[in-house]
């Protein structure tokens, strides 16, 4: 089944109002490649302003709380993301799993809350370096999917991002064969667990840039990219979108 390529920028804790011009340039360039879905996930503080600066663009959050409201100082509910104009949210990023102790159950609850609020979800999985080196990466990632995939969902609103932790922000990338093997295993797992495997997009993330994007995006079962550092400027991000567009 042909799935539209999906290229998503995760700005992490970067970006002030002055950076909105980069977002406008990114979305303007993306508009010239209608075969590719492009989204940006800035910090919470910029979502509303980015939606206003780039009307109609797909703008998302980088996390949400699983609860609808309440005494959770510093947290943001999925409905609040919707309220500010977001249409998607990343859940389970390794910087949340590792830095904030989020478990698979937490990630599942967040994904379910986000879907219930009407958001699309990018659910991140990925192994640490020692697991890759010990040969256990596929089992590790499939266990994360078993534990964090929502019970039921619209497959058009869920994407999986495979992000090996050791590749994030390091300049290291797995071989194309390793990426294709992992994505194929994820696709098989999704088929077993949800029956919706053909529709769900599986993104690769970890040091994607304008030079390596074409090769990574062309690997088996890779439907797009989740991009951190190279998503902060149009100059670095647009070539990745162009690489996706060239692959149709
Ligand atoms: C990420 O944080 O999701 C990511 C993939 O980062 P980078 O592209 O900088 O490795």
């Amino acid at each position: 089944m042909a799935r539209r390529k999906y290229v998503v920028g995760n700005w992490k804790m970067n970006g002030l109002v002055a950076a909105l011009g980069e977002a406008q340039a990114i979305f303007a360039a993306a508009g010239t490649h209608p075969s590719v879905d492009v989204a940006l996930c800035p910090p919470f503080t910029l979502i509303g302003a980015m939606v206003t600066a780039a009307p109609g663009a797909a703008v998302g959050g980088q996390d949400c709380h699983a609860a609808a409201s309440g005494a959770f100082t510093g947290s943001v509910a999925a409905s609040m993301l919707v309220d500010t104009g977001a249409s998607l949210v990343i859940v389970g990023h390794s910087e949340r799993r590792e830095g904030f102790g989020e478990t698979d159950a937490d990630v599942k609850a967040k994904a379910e809350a986000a879907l219930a609020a009407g958001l699309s979800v990018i659910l991140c999985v990925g192994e640490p370096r020692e697991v890759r080196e010990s040969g256990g990466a596929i089992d590790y990632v499939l266990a994360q999917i078993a534990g964090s995939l929502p019970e039921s969902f619209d497959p058009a609103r869920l994407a999986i991002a495979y992000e090996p932790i050791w590749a994030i922000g390091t300049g290291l990338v797995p071989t194309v064969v390793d990426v294709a093997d992992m994505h194929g295993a994820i696709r098989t797992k999704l088929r077993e667990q949800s029956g919706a495997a053909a529709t769900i997009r599986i993104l690769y993330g970890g040091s994607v840039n304008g030079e390596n994007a074409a090769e990574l995006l062309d690997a088996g079962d890779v439907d797009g990219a989740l991009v951190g550092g190279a998503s902060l400027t149009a100059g670095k991000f647009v070539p990745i979108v162009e690489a996706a567009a060239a692959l149709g």
Side-chain angles (χ1 to χ4, degrees), residues 51-66:
V51 169
T52 301
V59 179
Q62 301 167 11
D63 181 42
C64 66
H65 200 283

Side-chain angles (χ1 to χ4, degrees), residues 10 12 93 95 124 163 167-171 205-208 226-230:
N10 170 15
K12 310 193 187 195
H93 192 283
E95 288 157 15
C124 300
E163 299 206 302
I168 294 178
T170 60
S207 296
V208 177
L226 181 55
V227 184

Side-chain angles (χ1 to χ4, degrees), residues 7-10 163 167-174 176 179 204-218 222 224-245 247:
V7 180
V8 182
N10 170 15
E163 299 206 302
I168 294 178
T170 60
L172 302 172
V173 287
V176 172
V179 172
Y204 168 77
S207 296
V208 177
N209 58 42
E211 283 75 52
N212 63 23
E215 189 181 31
L216 288 164
L217 288 166
D218 201 28
V222 174
L226 181 55
V227 184
S231 70
L232 293 172
T233 63
K236 289 189 173 169
F237 194 57
V238 172
I240 300 171
V241 176
E242 289 170 345
L247 292 165

